[in-house]
Amino acid sequence: MLSINCPWCGARDETEFHYGSQAHVAYPENPETLSDEAWAHYIFFRDNPKGWFQERWVHTAGCRRWFNVWRNTVSHQFGPSYKPFTPAPARP
Amino acid sequence: MSGPLTRRRTAELPEHPDFLWRKPQLKKSYDVIIIGAGGHGLATAYYLAKNFGITNVAVLEKGWLAGGNMARNTTIIRSNYLWDESAGIYEHSLKLWENLEEEVGYEMFFSQRGVMTLAHSVGDVRGKQRNFYANKVNSIDTEWLTPEEAKKVAPILNISDTIRYPIMGATYQARGGIAKHDWVAWGYAKAADDMGVDLIQGCEVTGIKVDNGKVQGVETNLGFIAANKVALAAAGHTSTLTQMAGFRVPLQSRTLQALVSELLEQVLDTVIMSGAVHVYVSQAHKGELVMGAGTDAFNSYTQRGGVHVIEHQLAAACELFPIFSRAHLLRTWGGVVDIAPDASPILGLTPVENLYINSGWGTGGFKATPGSGWVYADTIANNAPHALAKNYSLKRFTTGHLIDEHGAAGVAH
Ligand SMILES: Cc1cc2nc3c(=O)[nH]c(=O)nc-3n(C[C@H](O)[C@H](O)[C@H](O)COP(=O)(O)OP(=O)(O)OC[C@H]3O[C@@H](n4cnc5c(N)ncnc54)[C@H](O)[C@@H]3O)c2cc1C
Ligand SMILES: [Zn+2]
């Protein structure tokens, strides 16, 4: 089980969290002009890197807040967690 | 099984039977390069040679032959999916399974012992009955069982209505079953090799060369290999390869785990699945209980999963099968599965000319091995999607024509 660092509550067991997939996927700025292809990418396509990944988690069984974190998908090593709307720290 | 099946040197198993195929000299170029020697890559090579006479083919494998998900799955085979597209390709596959050992000439322990899928709530019953009627419409064999009828098929099942998730009914596909995954891979490998296909182990693709929108070949740890056509069959690693070729795919790679008990007397002669409580179990020919657990929630290429996922699955298994509480857990392991947003495969052409994709089989592609290989080989040979693959193209994420098999495939096998 992962030990995940919530930026508000500190390190907690993975089972307290839910996963939110890739971080920093912004809602399209001009949705009314978006092509079907661009919609497809916004809705269905997410990065899936082998290595460092910026992803979202929500602390469901704790403070219930969303946050972002760097995590390595090959080693399960964590980099820094950070709150939404704060600048992303550099890749570890 | 009777017939002219190869039972060569079985005493040497479970050694990896490299003696079944040549150790070929890598050529500078091929008509077709297949990336990944899992079940799908090997079956594709076999059908390219068998159905189209295309034998100047290499299957490149970064590890050892069929050491990926092919070596790690719980081997459940069935075709009772919900949608017409799925019925088409999975039933085609099941029909191929029914004659595969004879055709390939290699024993695979294919056993049509039936697959039972349990329903545990009113909503679950409605969903499974919808599936049951959809299967009837598609002429796929299916039965609806009451809890009492389910217990007749599997007497060790706990059908008490006082358990946390009581059994309220089940579908049953009598033609479903299991096979021995390694032997399936080895059978296809040997037959493809016999027809001249080069199986190259320890060859990792590190780059895909594209010129003017057309594929030229692949960079590997053994150097550049030119190819007229390149076919991806890399399961959980598909996204890493499409990235090399310069386009994205809507796949996420997750860990899926499985486990086995020690060898026990035979207590279960069918396959039982429950998506609702995450239990999939069969008893292998030697006697071990083979069970599938859930997927971890997050992306991972580690082939290692969380223990709490196993714990969750075992708790449900012990309630459904009280007799299992005495069994010992012998081994657990994980594989990297490639999951698409609608839990259906992506099979067909790509934005790069002469580069083909076969992926997204996720948690349930073992059963599809023959059908997928057949359809993929046809798609590669004709440079056009096979009729059964038409709706599985990457384009469906733009058109919105998804094939939502979450109910049938997302968590179950
Ligand atoms: C625990 C578990 C249980 C499962 N249970 C079932 C089940 O009961 N029923 C069912 O139908 N399905 C099941 N599945 C799913 C099934 O195993 C997969 O869908 C199927 O095996 C995928 O196709 P494959 O065999 O070709 O994949 P793999 O065997 O994973 O083959 C892909 C190959 O590509 C190679 N590769 C990757 N990248 C590169 C590269 N860059 N260069 C060269 N080679 C590369 C890999 O090393 C690998 O050998 C299960 C999977 C898991 C993990
Ligand atoms: Zn918190």
Side-chain angles (χ1 to χ4, degrees):
Chain A
M1 182 175 315
L2 304 179
S3 173
I4 302 173
N5 195 23
C6 170
W8 285 280
C9 310
R12 300 289 186 89
D13 281 353
E14 175 193 335
T15 44
E16 292 189 13
F17 298 84
H18 276 98
Y19 191 55
S21 198
Q22 185 182 350
H24 306 297
V25 179
Y27 189 75
E29 273 186 24
N30 298 305
E32 64 284 356
T33 63
L34 220 56
S35 68
D36 286 354
E37 193 151 30
W39 271 120
H41 278 265
Y42 170 65
I43 294 172
F44 297 121
F45 287 63
R46 293 292 178 270
D47 291 346
N48 187 25
K50 186 172 179 175
W52 286 104
F53 190 36
Q54 280 170 289
E55 61 190 17
R56 296 173 353 127
W57 289 85
V58 57
H59 194 183
T60 321
C63 65
R64 298 190 289 164
R65 284 188 274 202
W66 285 94
F67 60 93
N68 301 323
V69 62
W70 278 103
R71 186 181 56 88
N72 191 307
T73 63
V74 182
S75 63
H76 288 178
Q77 188 191 344
F78 276 93
S81 301
Y82 53 103
K83 296 173 183 172
F85 310 112
T86 56
R91 169 197 294 253
Chain B
M1 296 254 44
S2 62
L5 302 178
T6 309
R7 283 208 190 84
R8 284 169 44 185
R9 302 166 69 176
T10 48
E12 292 182 17
L13 301 177
E15 290 295 297
H16 200 242
D18 283 308
F19 53 81
L20 287 175
W21 47 85
R22 294 167 296 129
K23 202 170 185 307
Q25 184 70 37
L26 186 60
K27 294 186 224 165
K28 289 204 159 48
S29 82
Y30 288 93
D31 291 341
V32 181
I33 284 178
I34 296 170
I35 306 176
H40 291 229
L42 293 167
T44 305
Y46 170 79
Y47 292 114
L48 272 175
K50 177 91 191 308
N51 295 353
F52 299 96
I54 301 174
T55 56
N56 185 22
V57 174
V59 186
L60 310 182
E61 169 54 53
K62 72 180 164 75
W64 68 94
L65 188 134
N69 293 341
M70 192 61 175
R72 295 156 196 272
N73 71 81
T74 50
T75 81
I76 298 174
I77 296 170
R78 62 191 180 88
S79 67
N80 54 353
Y81 284 71
L82 179 63
W83 296 103
D84 295 353
E85 291 88 348
S86 322
I89 197 161
Y90 289 105
E91 177 60 19
H92 178 57
S93 196
L94 184 48
K95 291 215 170 79
L96 290 172
W97 276 115
E98 286 173 331
N99 192 36
L100 195 59
E101 293 172 294
E102 283 74 9
E103 188 199 320
V104 171
Y106 196 78
E107 191 160 21
M108 297 172 177
F109 295 91
F110 175 57
S111 160
Q112 289 180 294
R113 56 183 58 195
V115 172
M116 188 191 296
T117 309
L118 306 175
H120 301 274
S121 67
V122 174
D124 205 5
V125 167
R126 285 189 189 138
K128 296 282 170 344
Q129 287 196 335
R130 178 185 180 209
N131 207 116
F132 162 74
Y133 287 115
N135 291 155
K136 283 211 171 280
V137 170
N138 279 318
S139 303
I140 287 174
D141 69 301
T142 179
E143 292 162 54
W144 180 260
L145 306 181
T146 62
E148 292 71 29
E149 288 167 337
K151 194 166 172 74
K152 275 209 188 97
V153 177
I156 60 170
L157 207 51
N158 181 1
I159 58 165
S160 151
D161 58 9
T162 61
I163 61 176
R164 177 68 183 83
Y165 297 104
I167 295 168
M168 296 179 64
T171 61
Y172 189 64
Q173 183 176 26
R175 286 166 61 240
I178 54 174
K180 215 163 157 141
H181 48 88
D182 289 339
W183 291 51
V184 174
W186 299 337
Y188 271 126
K190 178 183 183 312
D193 172 88
D194 284 347
M195 291 185 283
V197 170
D198 286 355
L199 307 174
I200 316 285
Q201 303 181 70
C203 180
E204 176 164 8
V205 172
T206 53
I208 296 179
K209 187 157 183 259
V210 180
D211 265 353
N212 289 325
K214 190 170 175 204
V215 79
Q216 308 295 322
V218 296
E219 298 288 353
T220 75
N221 57 320
L222 304 178
F224 179 76
I225 313 168
N228 187 16
K229 297 179 174 183
V230 175
L232 309 181
H237 279 78
T238 303
S239 322
T240 64
L241 289 157
T242 62
Q243 198 182 1
M244 295 172 198
F247 64 96
R248 293 175 94 197
V249 282
L251 292 170
Q252 299 283 287
S253 297
R254 300 269 162 90
T255 303
L256 178 67
Q257 295 185 85
L259 51 121
V260 285
S261 73
E262 80 271 50
L263 305 188
L264 301 166
E265 293 295 320
Q266 293 291 336
V267 290
L268 184 64
D269 63 0
T270 189
V271 181
I272 300 193
M273 321 194 344
S274 166
V277 297
H278 272 291
V279 173
Y280 323 104
V281 57
S282 68
Q283 191 168 16
H285 303 77
K286 278 184 302 178
E288 67 267 43
L289 296 168
V290 181
M291 296 193 222
T295 40
D296 278 15
F298 51 90
N299 294 15
S300 174
Y301 288 86
T302 57
Q303 297 184 322
R304 285 198 316 272
V307 176
H308 61 285
V309 177
I310 300 280
E311 214 175 352
H312 178 73
Q313 118 83 19
L314 286 177
C318 288
E319 188 167 69
L320 284 178
F321 308 93
I323 192 177
F324 288 1
S325 60
R326 300 294 189 84
H328 294 106
L329 181 60
L330 200 65
R331 277 186 302 127
T332 74
W333 63 89
V336 187
V337 296
D338 44 335
I339 301 178
D342 56 358
S344 281
I346 300 172
L347 203 173
L349 312 184
T350 71
V352 175
E353 212 180 318
N354 286 10
L355 177 66
Y356 308 89
I357 187 167
N358 184 11
S359 65
W361 293 96
T363 60
F366 171 72
K367 65 179 72 61
T369 304
S372 157
W374 178 289
V375 165
Y376 198 30
D378 186 288
T379 300
I380 297 162
N382 294 317
N383 192 34
H386 180 278
L388 292 175
K390 274 213 174 79
N391 289 325
Y392 285 114
S393 87
L394 259 176
K395 289 210 181 77
R396 74 175 186 271
F397 301 97
T398 304
T399 62
H401 188 145
L402 302 189
I403 306 164
D404 184 358
E405 288 288 358
H406 280 285
V411 287
H413 307 309

